[in-house]
Amino acid sequence: MGELDHLLASNREWAGRVEREHPGFFRNLSSQQRPKYLWIGCSDSRVPANEIIGLLPGEVFVHRNVANLVVHSDLNCLSVMDFALNELGVEHVIVCGHYGCGGVSAALAPSEGRVMDHWIRHVRDIAKFYRDEIEREPSVQAQARRLCELNVAVQVVHVRESPVVQAAAARGVKVHGWIYDLADGLLRDLTPTVDGVRALEPSCRLPG
Ligand code: CO
């Protein structure tokens, strides 16, 4: 008996159920994937991409990291975007943050000098840039929520600034910013917040 046998048993049950509901599902999927969406979200266990948008395997390509960051030099995320857009033909990139994000809250507290703090530093920079706007919020909780929203908006701009997405945008690929509320399970569109952050950095704009 392995310690994780219950997970393997649960997997067999799940695969059986999916195959009963959609005969031939795994055989069809094993030969190709054609997802329309790329999801860039937080690693948080409470924000699983497929489940919260009700999509089956094969329908959404997923990249997750702590605090849903798109760092200009992160080859991991850049490779995911390149593959999703240029190989799979994804049509929409969704950057999804969530309220109650531990990575974002950590950026509002003093650094503890842990490895994680190097990563969170990217969010800390956003908090510093938008300090006035964040401090207008009436409570610590509201400030953290606002930073969660601003973080998504800035990451959307980072996606749009990447050369791979600029090239894809020319053929109609769209980038969206969403936020998920752990308290009610609902997603909200952050377009107004995204539109409020600085425009594409002119020096990063591709010619043509
Ligand atoms: Co999070």
Side-chain angles (χ1 to χ4, degrees):
M1 270 296 270
E3 269 184 81
L4 300 183
D5 280 355
H6 60 293
L7 296 183
L8 299 175
S10 163
N11 164 253
R12 283 190 295 274
E13 211 173 281
W14 170 80
R17 191 172 63 247
V18 172
E19 192 61 33
R20 274 195 304 281
E21 289 169 5
H22 310 271
F25 183 83
F26 293 105
R27 196 178 57 247
N28 295 337
L29 211 55
S30 62
S31 58
Q32 61 160 5
Q33 59 166 334
R34 281 266 161 260
K36 276 194 195 152
Y37 315 99
L38 165 61
W39 175 280
I40 299 175
C42 183
S43 298
D44 193 301
S45 65
R46 299 164 294 180
V47 195
N50 281 72
E51 280 91 334
I52 65 180
I53 47 178
L55 294 183
L56 287 167
E59 296 186 303
V60 56
F61 200 66
V62 175
H63 177 77
R64 291 168 68 182
N65 61 43
V66 171
N68 43 270
L69 301 184
V70 178
V71 176
H72 303 303
S73 59
D74 178 5
L75 274 180
N76 184 348
C77 185
L78 292 171
S79 301
V80 166
M81 292 198 291
D82 182 19
F83 189 75
L85 294 163
N86 295 323
E87 294 292 327
L88 301 177
V90 153
E91 295 163 23
H92 298 273
V93 181
I94 300 160
V95 177
C96 185
H98 68 102
Y99 295 122
C101 183
V104 170
S105 298
L108 291 171
S111 168
E112 294 174 1
R114 295 159 57 190
V115 170
M116 263 287 297
D117 285 298
H118 293 281
W119 185 250
I120 294 305
R121 174 61 198 266
H122 295 294
V123 190
R124 214 177 276 287
D125 289 343
I126 297 169
K128 189 174 173 188
F129 193 84
Y130 290 101
R131 178 180 289 155
D132 292 345
E133 180 170 343
I134 291 167
E135 287 183 349
R136 274 201 293 273
E137 297 292 338
S139 65
V140 175
Q141 287 84 352
Q143 289 180 1
R145 285 173 71 88
R146 188 61 187 144
L147 182 54
C148 287
E149 296 168 351
L150 289 165
N151 180 47
V152 169
V154 170
Q155 306 315 320
V156 168
V157 172
H158 290 174
V159 171
R160 288 181 177 156
E161 280 177 351
S162 71
V164 63
V165 172
Q166 286 185 59
R171 55 173 196 268
V173 167
K174 302 272 192 316
V175 187
H176 314 264
W178 290 354
I179 196 150
Y180 176 77
D181 198 334
L182 299 172
D184 61 12
L186 295 177
L187 288 162
R188 287 165 181 81
D189 187 350
L190 285 178
T191 298
T193 304
V194 172
D195 289 347
V197 306
R198 65 183 162 68
L200 192 81
E201 175 56 46
S203 62
C204 294
R205 196 169 289 146
L206 290 181

PDB file of all heavy atoms in Angstrom, residues 155-169:
ATOM      1  N   GLN A 155       0.584  42.891 -14.999  1.00  0.00           N
ATOM      2  CA  GLN A 155       1.014  41.661 -15.691  1.00  0.00           C
ATOM      3  C   GLN A 155       0.400  41.578 -17.091  1.00  0.00           C
ATOM      4  O   GLN A 155       1.038  41.075 -18.023  1.00  0.00           O
ATOM      5  CB  GLN A 155       0.670  40.400 -14.883  1.00  0.00           C
ATOM      6  CG  GLN A 155       1.197  40.379 -13.449  1.00  0.00           C
ATOM      7  CD  GLN A 155       2.636  40.835 -13.300  1.00  0.00           C
ATOM      8  OE1 GLN A 155       3.487  40.498 -14.125  1.00  0.00           O
ATOM      9  NE2 GLN A 155       2.916  41.619 -12.262  1.00  0.00           N
ATOM     10  N   VAL A 156      -0.819  42.107 -17.248  1.00  0.00           N
ATOM     11  CA  VAL A 156      -1.432  42.150 -18.587  1.00  0.00           C
ATOM     12  C   VAL A 156      -0.575  43.024 -19.509  1.00  0.00           C
ATOM     13  O   VAL A 156      -0.317  42.660 -20.661  1.00  0.00           O
ATOM     14  CB  VAL A 156      -2.883  42.692 -18.522  1.00  0.00           C
ATOM     15  CG1 VAL A 156      -3.401  43.023 -19.920  1.00  0.00           C
ATOM     16  CG2 VAL A 156      -3.801  41.669 -17.865  1.00  0.00           C
ATOM     17  N   VAL A 157      -0.110  44.145 -18.977  1.00  0.00           N
ATOM     18  CA  VAL A 157       0.756  45.020 -19.781  1.00  0.00           C
ATOM     19  C   VAL A 157       2.049  44.292 -20.133  1.00  0.00           C
ATOM     20  O   VAL A 157       2.527  44.363 -21.268  1.00  0.00           O
ATOM     21  CB  VAL A 157       1.035  46.348 -19.030  1.00  0.00           C
ATOM     22  CG1 VAL A 157       2.090  47.173 -19.750  1.00  0.00           C
ATOM     23  CG2 VAL A 157      -0.257  47.148 -18.905  1.00  0.00           C
ATOM     24  N   HIS A 158       2.596  43.555 -19.172  1.00  0.00           N
ATOM     25  CA  HIS A 158       3.823  42.787 -19.455  1.00  0.00           C
ATOM     26  C   HIS A 158       3.589  41.763 -20.567  1.00  0.00           C
ATOM     27  O   HIS A 158       4.443  41.569 -21.430  1.00  0.00           O
ATOM     28  CB  HIS A 158       4.319  42.058 -18.196  1.00  0.00           C
ATOM     29  CG  HIS A 158       4.856  42.993 -17.151  1.00  0.00           C
ATOM     30  ND1 HIS A 158       5.248  42.569 -15.910  1.00  0.00           N
ATOM     31  CD2 HIS A 158       5.064  44.338 -17.174  1.00  0.00           C
ATOM     32  CE1 HIS A 158       5.687  43.605 -15.209  1.00  0.00           C
ATOM     33  NE2 HIS A 158       5.576  44.688 -15.954  1.00  0.00           N
ATOM     34  N   VAL A 159       2.426  41.106 -20.534  1.00  0.00           N
ATOM     35  CA  VAL A 159       2.098  40.140 -21.601  1.00  0.00           C
ATOM     36  C   VAL A 159       2.045  40.880 -22.933  1.00  0.00           C
ATOM     37  O   VAL A 159       2.631  40.445 -23.929  1.00  0.00           O
ATOM     38  CB  VAL A 159       0.745  39.438 -21.320  1.00  0.00           C
ATOM     39  CG1 VAL A 159       0.307  38.609 -22.533  1.00  0.00           C
ATOM     40  CG2 VAL A 159       0.853  38.543 -20.091  1.00  0.00           C
ATOM     41  N   ARG A 160       1.344  42.012 -22.935  1.00  0.00           N
ATOM     42  CA  ARG A 160       1.193  42.760 -24.194  1.00  0.00           C
ATOM     43  C   ARG A 160       2.522  43.288 -24.713  1.00  0.00           C
ATOM     44  O   ARG A 160       2.704  43.462 -25.916  1.00  0.00           O
ATOM     45  CB  ARG A 160       0.199  43.919 -23.992  1.00  0.00           C
ATOM     46  CG  ARG A 160      -1.231  43.424 -23.858  1.00  0.00           C
ATOM     47  CD  ARG A 160      -2.207  44.569 -23.673  1.00  0.00           C
ATOM     48  NE  ARG A 160      -3.580  44.079 -23.626  1.00  0.00           N
ATOM     49  CZ  ARG A 160      -4.584  44.722 -23.050  1.00  0.00           C
ATOM     50  NH1 ARG A 160      -4.388  45.897 -22.470  1.00  0.00           N
ATOM     51  NH2 ARG A 160      -5.796  44.209 -23.054  1.00  0.00           N
ATOM     52  N   GLU A 161       3.446  43.578 -23.789  1.00  0.00           N
ATOM     53  CA  GLU A 161       4.754  44.108 -24.198  1.00  0.00           C
ATOM     54  C   GLU A 161       5.679  43.036 -24.755  1.00  0.00           C
ATOM     55  O   GLU A 161       6.653  43.356 -25.437  1.00  0.00           O
ATOM     56  CB  GLU A 161       5.450  44.769 -22.993  1.00  0.00           C
ATOM     57  CG  GLU A 161       4.946  46.158 -22.698  1.00  0.00           C
ATOM     58  CD  GLU A 161       5.598  46.768 -21.460  1.00  0.00           C
ATOM     59  OE1 GLU A 161       6.316  46.048 -20.740  1.00  0.00           O
ATOM     60  OE2 GLU A 161       5.381  47.948 -21.219  1.00  0.00           O
ATOM     61  N   SER A 162       5.405  41.777 -24.453  1.00  0.00           N
ATOM     62  CA  SER A 162       6.344  40.741 -24.904  1.00  0.00           C
ATOM     63  C   SER A 162       6.273  40.626 -26.429  1.00  0.00           C
ATOM     64  O   SER A 162       5.190  40.653 -27.004  1.00  0.00           O
ATOM     65  CB  SER A 162       6.006  39.403 -24.247  1.00  0.00           C
ATOM     66  OG  SER A 162       4.812  38.910 -24.783  1.00  0.00           O
ATOM     67  N   PRO A 163       7.428  40.515 -27.085  1.00  0.00           N
ATOM     68  CA  PRO A 163       7.442  40.446 -28.553  1.00  0.00           C
ATOM     69  C   PRO A 163       6.552  39.325 -29.100  1.00  0.00           C
ATOM     70  O   PRO A 163       5.882  39.505 -30.108  1.00  0.00           O
ATOM     71  CB  PRO A 163       8.921  40.197 -28.869  1.00  0.00           C
ATOM     72  CG  PRO A 163       9.644  40.842 -27.726  1.00  0.00           C
ATOM     73  CD  PRO A 163       8.783  40.591 -26.519  1.00  0.00           C
ATOM     74  N   VAL A 164       6.514  38.200 -28.404  1.00  0.00           N
ATOM     75  CA  VAL A 164       5.723  37.069 -28.904  1.00  0.00           C
ATOM     76  C   VAL A 164       4.239  37.435 -28.953  1.00  0.00           C
ATOM     77  O   VAL A 164       3.526  37.079 -29.893  1.00  0.00           O
ATOM     78  CB  VAL A 164       5.996  35.776 -28.078  1.00  0.00           C
ATOM     79  CG1 VAL A 164       5.570  35.923 -26.633  1.00  0.00           C
ATOM     80  CG2 VAL A 164       5.312  34.579 -28.693  1.00  0.00           C
ATOM     81  N   VAL A 165       3.773  38.181 -27.972  1.00  0.00           N
ATOM     82  CA  VAL A 165       2.352  38.559 -27.950  1.00  0.00           C
ATOM     83  C   VAL A 165       2.081  39.742 -28.891  1.00  0.00           C
ATOM     84  O   VAL A 165       1.025  39.804 -29.510  1.00  0.00           O
ATOM     85  CB  VAL A 165       1.874  38.843 -26.510  1.00  0.00           C
ATOM     86  CG1 VAL A 165       0.458  39.422 -26.488  1.00  0.00           C
ATOM     87  CG2 VAL A 165       1.916  37.549 -25.696  1.00  0.00           C
ATOM     88  N   GLN A 166       3.032  40.655 -29.020  1.00  0.00           N
ATOM     89  CA  GLN A 166       2.845  41.742 -29.991  1.00  0.00           C
ATOM     90  C   GLN A 166       2.661  41.172 -31.403  1.00  0.00           C
ATOM     91  O   GLN A 166       1.798  41.630 -32.160  1.00  0.00           O
ATOM     92  CB  GLN A 166       4.033  42.696 -29.971  1.00  0.00           C
ATOM     93  CG  GLN A 166       4.054  43.593 -28.735  1.00  0.00           C
ATOM     94  CD  GLN A 166       5.175  44.613 -28.813  1.00  0.00           C
ATOM     95  OE1 GLN A 166       5.240  45.411 -29.732  1.00  0.00           O
ATOM     96  NE2 GLN A 166       6.059  44.579 -27.839  1.00  0.00           N
ATOM     97  N   ALA A 167       3.456  40.168 -31.736  1.00  0.00           N
ATOM     98  CA  ALA A 167       3.318  39.545 -33.061  1.00  0.00           C
ATOM     99  C   ALA A 167       1.972  38.851 -33.179  1.00  0.00           C
ATOM    100  O   ALA A 167       1.301  38.936 -34.208  1.00  0.00           O
ATOM    101  CB  ALA A 167       4.460  38.554 -33.281  1.00  0.00           C
ATOM    102  N   ALA A 168       1.548  38.191 -32.101  1.00  0.00           N
ATOM    103  CA  ALA A 168       0.270  37.460 -32.129  1.00  0.00           C
ATOM    104  C   ALA A 168      -0.917  38.419 -32.157  1.00  0.00           C
ATOM    105  O   ALA A 168      -1.949  38.122 -32.752  1.00  0.00           O
ATOM    106  CB  ALA A 168       0.178  36.544 -30.913  1.00  0.00           C
ATOM    107  N   ALA A 169      -0.760  39.587 -31.506  1.00  0.00           N
ATOM    108  CA  ALA A 169      -1.860  40.564 -31.474  1.00  0.00           C
ATOM    109  C   ALA A 169      -2.191  41.042 -32.880  1.00  0.00           C
ATOM    110  O   ALA A 169      -3.347  41.329 -33.201  1.00  0.00           O
ATOM    111  CB  ALA A 169      -1.482  41.739 -30.579  1.00  0.00           C
TER     112      ALA A 169
END
